[in-house]
Amino acid sequence: MIMKTAPLPIAYFKGKFVPIEEANVSIMTNALQYGTAFFGGIRGYFNKESGCISIFRLDDHIRRFSQSPRVIGIKLKYTSEEMKKIVLELAKKNKPQTDIYLRPFAYASSTNLSPNLEEDNIFDFALYMIELGDYLPTNRGISVCVSSWRRVSDNAIPSRAKISGSYINSGMAKLEALRHGYEEAIFLNEDGHVAEGSAMNLFIVRNGKLITPAVSENILEGITRRSIIEIALDEGIEVVERVVDRTELYVADEAFFCGTGAKVSWISQIDGREVGDEKLGPITSKLRDIFFKAVKGDDLKYESWCTKISV
Ligand code: PMP
């Protein structure tokens, strides 16, 4: 796996910009013990010529991040506007010269000995940045399996929010996939329907239609997923959000993952069965090309998705 994760020198922690080495918590921290935290993941694309970073769908990421405390039933000290300002300030301070990934993080920072969110009702906010290349290969098809683990359900740990503790579910699916010689996993939900990847949404193509599990299928409501749907509709491609059966994966003409980390990563094999003719399909290829241009702010049609700042 090609993953570059060098941290950038400055982070935001306990209300201040500090060197990343100083952004540390106690071993007793509630969030560390119980996963009582939630996070976001935002990409910024560096343009050497202009010296600008194009941050992709910042407002949408902050909006989703701000919805997590509402789902959990706790409070966050910061407003969306304040967090947006901190993101932009940190990006400027770190002067990145590569593509970056920003990680907003809110966590139960007390050292209370119980996952009692009533006692620890206000979460702290922190933010750091890393350099990040491809998280999954994007230049070749990947081989994936259907996981034997089920995706956490809305009534257990809501998948609509990016809750830290729930990522043990993703970790176990990914571990199983890698141990069995695959590169990524597809989760089914408790109803046995297709949900998503370990940390990315999933699309298939059947008879020229783009199909993806609906938001009620225990998926994270991905911002990349929404962007792909918007691009597809603009291109006149029919998009269907619905229940997807496992065996539809085996008869799909094309399949791909998408996400902030994953970008658009196409799938050539599922459970040892070839997807289409194991080549990058025409619909995936078209959406991928437009998406890759859009995230960099190079497609005028989608310019409003990008916040460009000179660094
Ligand atoms: N599903 C899960 C479980 C994820 O962690 C992610 C990554 N945030 C996604 C889907 C993709 O969402 P987005 O496009 O908003 O990054």
Side-chain angles (χ1 to χ4, degrees), residues 171-207:
M172 290 196 298
K174 182 85 183 188
L175 181 67
E176 181 189 53
L178 295 177
R179 288 213 172 136
H180 289 130
Y182 300 98
E183 291 168 278
E184 191 43 72
I186 295 174
F187 271 124
L188 305 181
N189 59 27
E190 286 293 0
D191 296 331
H193 301 136
V194 175
E196 60 180 331
S198 69
M200 56 283 295
N201 292 115
L202 177 74
F203 283 89
I204 58 171
V205 175
R206 293 190 68 191
N207 305 319

Short mmCIF file of all heavy atoms in Angstrom, two decimals, residues 171-207:
data_model
loop_
_atom_site.label_atom_id
_atom_site.label_comp_id
_atom_site.label_asym_id
_atom_site.label_seq_id
_atom_site.Cartn_x
_atom_site.Cartn_y
_atom_site.Cartn_z
N GLY A 171 -11.52 -1.77 11.22
CA GLY A 171 -10.20 -2.37 11.39
C GLY A 171 -10.26 -3.88 11.28
O GLY A 171 -9.39 -4.51 10.66
N MET A 172 -11.29 -4.48 11.86
CA MET A 172 -11.38 -5.95 11.81
C MET A 172 -11.68 -6.44 10.40
O MET A 172 -11.15 -7.46 9.96
CB MET A 172 -12.44 -6.44 12.81
CG MET A 172 -11.98 -6.26 14.25
SD MET A 172 -12.93 -7.20 15.43
CE MET A 172 -14.55 -6.51 15.20
N ALA A 173 -12.52 -5.69 9.68
CA ALA A 173 -12.84 -6.09 8.30
C ALA A 173 -11.61 -5.97 7.41
O ALA A 173 -11.33 -6.83 6.58
CB ALA A 173 -13.98 -5.23 7.76
N LYS A 174 -10.86 -4.89 7.59
CA LYS A 174 -9.64 -4.66 6.79
C LYS A 174 -8.60 -5.75 7.10
O LYS A 174 -7.99 -6.31 6.19
CB LYS A 174 -9.08 -3.27 7.11
CG LYS A 174 -7.88 -2.87 6.32
CD LYS A 174 -8.22 -2.28 4.98
CE LYS A 174 -6.98 -1.95 4.19
NZ LYS A 174 -7.24 -1.22 2.97
N LEU A 175 -8.43 -6.06 8.38
CA LEU A 175 -7.46 -7.08 8.80
C LEU A 175 -7.81 -8.43 8.17
O LEU A 175 -6.95 -9.11 7.62
CB LEU A 175 -7.48 -7.18 10.33
CG LEU A 175 -6.52 -8.19 10.96
CD1 LEU A 175 -5.07 -7.76 10.74
CD2 LEU A 175 -6.80 -8.33 12.46
N GLU A 176 -9.06 -8.78 8.24
CA GLU A 176 -9.51 -10.06 7.67
C GLU A 176 -9.23 -10.09 6.16
O GLU A 176 -8.71 -11.08 5.63
CB GLU A 176 -11.01 -10.24 7.92
CG GLU A 176 -11.56 -11.54 7.38
CD GLU A 176 -13.07 -11.59 7.45
OE1 GLU A 176 -13.75 -10.66 6.97
OE2 GLU A 176 -13.59 -12.57 7.99
N ALA A 177 -9.56 -8.99 5.48
CA ALA A 177 -9.35 -8.93 4.02
C ALA A 177 -7.86 -9.10 3.69
O ALA A 177 -7.50 -9.92 2.83
CB ALA A 177 -9.86 -7.59 3.48
N LEU A 178 -7.00 -8.37 4.39
CA LEU A 178 -5.56 -8.44 4.10
C LEU A 178 -5.02 -9.83 4.39
O LEU A 178 -4.24 -10.39 3.62
CB LEU A 178 -4.80 -7.37 4.90
CG LEU A 178 -5.12 -5.91 4.54
CD1 LEU A 178 -4.36 -4.95 5.47
CD2 LEU A 178 -4.79 -5.58 3.09
N ARG A 179 -5.45 -10.42 5.51
CA ARG A 179 -4.96 -11.76 5.88
C ARG A 179 -5.38 -12.82 4.86
O ARG A 179 -4.72 -13.84 4.72
CB ARG A 179 -5.49 -12.14 7.26
CG ARG A 179 -4.79 -11.33 8.34
CD ARG A 179 -4.62 -12.13 9.61
NE ARG A 179 -3.80 -11.37 10.53
CZ ARG A 179 -4.05 -11.24 11.82
NH1 ARG A 179 -5.12 -11.82 12.36
NH2 ARG A 179 -3.24 -10.55 12.58
N HIS A 180 -6.48 -12.57 4.16
CA HIS A 180 -6.93 -13.54 3.16
C HIS A 180 -6.43 -13.17 1.76
O HIS A 180 -6.89 -13.73 0.77
CB HIS A 180 -8.45 -13.66 3.18
CG HIS A 180 -8.94 -14.38 4.41
ND1 HIS A 180 -9.94 -13.87 5.22
CD2 HIS A 180 -8.54 -15.52 5.00
CE1 HIS A 180 -10.12 -14.70 6.24
NE2 HIS A 180 -9.29 -15.70 6.13
N GLY A 181 -5.54 -12.18 1.69
CA GLY A 181 -4.90 -11.86 0.41
C GLY A 181 -5.66 -10.85 -0.44
O GLY A 181 -5.34 -10.68 -1.62
N TYR A 182 -6.67 -10.19 0.13
CA TYR A 182 -7.39 -9.14 -0.60
C TYR A 182 -6.85 -7.78 -0.16
O TYR A 182 -6.16 -7.67 0.85
CB TYR A 182 -8.90 -9.22 -0.31
CG TYR A 182 -9.53 -10.53 -0.71
CD1 TYR A 182 -9.74 -11.54 0.23
CD2 TYR A 182 -9.90 -10.77 -2.03
CE1 TYR A 182 -10.31 -12.75 -0.13
CE2 TYR A 182 -10.48 -11.98 -2.40
CZ TYR A 182 -10.69 -12.96 -1.45
OH TYR A 182 -11.25 -14.16 -1.81
N GLU A 183 -7.27 -6.74 -0.90
CA GLU A 183 -6.77 -5.40 -0.57
C GLU A 183 -7.75 -4.57 0.24
O GLU A 183 -7.38 -3.58 0.87
CB GLU A 183 -6.41 -4.65 -1.86
CG GLU A 183 -5.19 -5.26 -2.53
CD GLU A 183 -4.98 -4.75 -3.93
OE1 GLU A 183 -5.65 -5.27 -4.86
OE2 GLU A 183 -4.18 -3.83 -4.12
N GLU A 184 -9.00 -4.95 0.20
CA GLU A 184 -10.02 -4.16 0.90
C GLU A 184 -11.24 -5.05 1.12
O GLU A 184 -11.35 -6.13 0.53
CB GLU A 184 -10.35 -2.91 0.05
CG GLU A 184 -11.19 -1.82 0.67
CD GLU A 184 -10.86 -1.44 2.09
OE1 GLU A 184 -9.83 -0.80 2.36
OE2 GLU A 184 -11.67 -1.76 2.98
N ALA A 185 -12.13 -4.57 2.00
CA ALA A 185 -13.32 -5.36 2.36
C ALA A 185 -14.59 -4.61 2.01
O ALA A 185 -14.61 -3.37 2.02
CB ALA A 185 -13.29 -5.64 3.85
N ILE A 186 -15.63 -5.36 1.70
CA ILE A 186 -16.97 -4.78 1.55
C ILE A 186 -17.81 -5.31 2.70
O ILE A 186 -17.88 -6.52 2.93
CB ILE A 186 -17.62 -5.18 0.20
CG1 ILE A 186 -16.82 -4.60 -0.97
CG2 ILE A 186 -19.09 -4.74 0.14
CD1 ILE A 186 -17.29 -5.05 -2.35
N PHE A 187 -18.43 -4.38 3.42
CA PHE A 187 -19.31 -4.76 4.53
C PHE A 187 -20.72 -5.02 4.02
O PHE A 187 -21.26 -4.24 3.22
CB PHE A 187 -19.46 -3.58 5.50
CG PHE A 187 -18.45 -3.48 6.59
CD1 PHE A 187 -17.69 -2.32 6.75
CD2 PHE A 187 -18.28 -4.51 7.52
CE1 PHE A 187 -16.78 -2.20 7.78
CE2 PHE A 187 -17.37 -4.39 8.55
CZ PHE A 187 -16.62 -3.24 8.69
N LEU A 188 -21.35 -6.05 4.56
CA LEU A 188 -22.81 -6.17 4.47
C LEU A 188 -23.33 -5.59 5.78
O LEU A 188 -22.62 -5.56 6.79
CB LEU A 188 -23.24 -7.63 4.36
CG LEU A 188 -22.63 -8.45 3.21
CD1 LEU A 188 -23.19 -9.87 3.22
CD2 LEU A 188 -22.89 -7.79 1.86
N ASN A 189 -24.58 -5.12 5.77
CA ASN A 189 -25.16 -4.65 7.04
C ASN A 189 -25.88 -5.82 7.72
O ASN A 189 -25.87 -6.95 7.21
CB ASN A 189 -26.08 -3.44 6.80
CG ASN A 189 -27.22 -3.75 5.83
OD1 ASN A 189 -27.64 -4.90 5.72
ND2 ASN A 189 -27.70 -2.72 5.15
N GLU A 190 -26.48 -5.56 8.87
CA GLU A 190 -27.11 -6.66 9.63
C GLU A 190 -28.26 -7.31 8.86
O GLU A 190 -28.64 -8.44 9.16
CB GLU A 190 -27.60 -6.15 11.00
CG GLU A 190 -26.46 -5.92 12.01
CD GLU A 190 -25.74 -7.19 12.46
OE1 GLU A 190 -26.09 -8.30 12.01
OE2 GLU A 190 -24.79 -7.06 13.25
N ASP A 191 -28.81 -6.62 7.86
CA ASP A 191 -29.87 -7.22 7.02
C ASP A 191 -29.29 -8.08 5.90
O ASP A 191 -30.04 -8.64 5.09
CB ASP A 191 -30.74 -6.13 6.38
CG ASP A 191 -31.48 -5.31 7.42
OD1 ASP A 191 -31.79 -5.87 8.49
OD2 ASP A 191 -31.73 -4.11 7.18
N GLY A 192 -27.95 -8.10 5.81
CA GLY A 192 -27.32 -8.90 4.75
C GLY A 192 -27.22 -8.17 3.43
O GLY A 192 -26.89 -8.77 2.39
N HIS A 193 -27.50 -6.87 3.44
CA HIS A 193 -27.37 -6.08 2.21
C HIS A 193 -26.01 -5.40 2.16
O HIS A 193 -25.41 -5.14 3.20
CB HIS A 193 -28.48 -5.02 2.13
CG HIS A 193 -29.85 -5.59 2.15
ND1 HIS A 193 -30.88 -5.07 2.91
CD2 HIS A 193 -30.37 -6.67 1.51
CE1 HIS A 193 -31.96 -5.81 2.74
NE2 HIS A 193 -31.68 -6.79 1.90
N VAL A 194 -25.61 -5.05 0.95
CA VAL A 194 -24.31 -4.39 0.78
C VAL A 194 -24.36 -3.01 1.43
O VAL A 194 -25.34 -2.27 1.24
CB VAL A 194 -23.96 -4.26 -0.72
CG1 VAL A 194 -22.68 -3.47 -0.90
CG2 VAL A 194 -23.84 -5.65 -1.36
N ALA A 195 -23.32 -2.68 2.21
CA ALA A 195 -23.26 -1.35 2.84
C ALA A 195 -22.17 -0.50 2.18
O ALA A 195 -22.45 0.37 1.37
CB ALA A 195 -23.05 -1.48 4.34
N GLU A 196 -20.91 -0.80 2.51
CA GLU A 196 -19.81 0.03 2.00
C GLU A 196 -18.49 -0.67 2.26
O GLU A 196 -18.46 -1.81 2.74
CB GLU A 196 -19.85 1.40 2.68
CG GLU A 196 -19.71 1.34 4.19
CD GLU A 196 -19.75 2.73 4.85
OE1 GLU A 196 -19.37 3.71 4.23
OE2 GLU A 196 -20.16 2.78 6.02
N GLY A 197 -17.37 0.01 1.99
CA GLY A 197 -16.05 -0.53 2.28
C GLY A 197 -15.69 -0.25 3.73
O GLY A 197 -16.51 0.26 4.51
N SER A 198 -14.44 -0.54 4.12
CA SER A 198 -14.06 -0.35 5.53
C SER A 198 -14.02 1.13 5.90
O SER A 198 -14.28 1.49 7.04
CB SER A 198 -12.72 -1.02 5.81
OG SER A 198 -11.68 -0.34 5.14
N ALA A 199 -13.72 1.99 4.94
CA ALA A 199 -13.71 3.44 5.19
C ALA A 199 -13.96 4.18 3.89
O ALA A 199 -13.33 5.20 3.61
CB ALA A 199 -12.38 3.87 5.82
N MET A 200 -14.87 3.65 3.09
CA MET A 200 -15.18 4.26 1.80
C MET A 200 -16.54 3.76 1.31
O MET A 200 -16.96 2.67 1.69
CB MET A 200 -14.08 3.96 0.77
CG MET A 200 -13.76 2.51 0.51
SD MET A 200 -12.77 1.69 1.77
CE MET A 200 -11.26 2.55 1.66
N ASN A 201 -17.19 4.57 0.51
CA ASN A 201 -18.48 4.16 -0.05
C ASN A 201 -18.27 3.36 -1.33
O ASN A 201 -17.18 3.36 -1.89
CB ASN A 201 -19.36 5.39 -0.31
CG ASN A 201 -19.79 6.06 0.98
OD1 ASN A 201 -19.43 7.20 1.25
ND2 ASN A 201 -20.56 5.37 1.79
N LEU A 202 -19.32 2.68 -1.74
CA LEU A 202 -19.23 1.75 -2.87
C LEU A 202 -20.27 2.06 -3.94
O LEU A 202 -21.43 2.36 -3.61
CB LEU A 202 -19.45 0.32 -2.35
CG LEU A 202 -19.46 -0.79 -3.38
CD1 LEU A 202 -18.05 -1.08 -3.89
CD2 LEU A 202 -20.08 -2.06 -2.82
N PHE A 203 -19.85 1.99 -5.18
CA PHE A 203 -20.77 2.10 -6.32
C PHE A 203 -20.59 0.88 -7.21
O PHE A 203 -19.47 0.38 -7.35
CB PHE A 203 -20.44 3.34 -7.17
CG PHE A 203 -20.90 4.65 -6.58
CD1 PHE A 203 -20.09 5.36 -5.71
CD2 PHE A 203 -22.14 5.17 -6.90
CE1 PHE A 203 -20.49 6.57 -5.17
CE2 PHE A 203 -22.57 6.38 -6.37
CZ PHE A 203 -21.75 7.08 -5.50
N ILE A 204 -21.69 0.45 -7.84
CA ILE A 204 -21.56 -0.53 -8.93
C ILE A 204 -22.27 0.05 -10.15
O ILE A 204 -23.09 0.97 -10.02
CB ILE A 204 -22.15 -1.92 -8.57
CG1 ILE A 204 -23.64 -1.84 -8.19
CG2 ILE A 204 -21.34 -2.60 -7.47
CD1 ILE A 204 -24.32 -3.20 -8.03
N VAL A 205 -21.93 -0.50 -11.30
CA VAL A 205 -22.61 -0.12 -12.54
C VAL A 205 -23.27 -1.37 -13.10
O VAL A 205 -22.62 -2.43 -13.18
CB VAL A 205 -21.61 0.45 -13.58
CG1 VAL A 205 -22.31 0.74 -14.91
CG2 VAL A 205 -20.93 1.72 -13.05
N ARG A 206 -24.56 -1.27 -13.40
CA ARG A 206 -25.26 -2.38 -14.07
C ARG A 206 -26.07 -1.81 -15.22
O ARG A 206 -26.88 -0.91 -15.00
CB ARG A 206 -26.19 -3.11 -13.10
CG ARG A 206 -25.46 -3.85 -12.00
CD ARG A 206 -26.39 -4.76 -11.22
NE ARG A 206 -26.87 -5.85 -12.03
CZ ARG A 206 -27.86 -6.68 -11.67
NH1 ARG A 206 -28.46 -6.50 -10.51
NH2 ARG A 206 -28.24 -7.65 -12.47
N ASN A 207 -25.86 -2.32 -16.39
CA ASN A 207 -26.60 -1.89 -17.59
C ASN A 207 -26.61 -0.37 -17.74
O ASN A 207 -27.66 0.22 -17.98
CB ASN A 207 -28.04 -2.42 -17.54
CG ASN A 207 -28.07 -3.92 -17.37
OD1 ASN A 207 -27.26 -4.63 -17.98
ND2 ASN A 207 -28.94 -4.41 -16.50
#
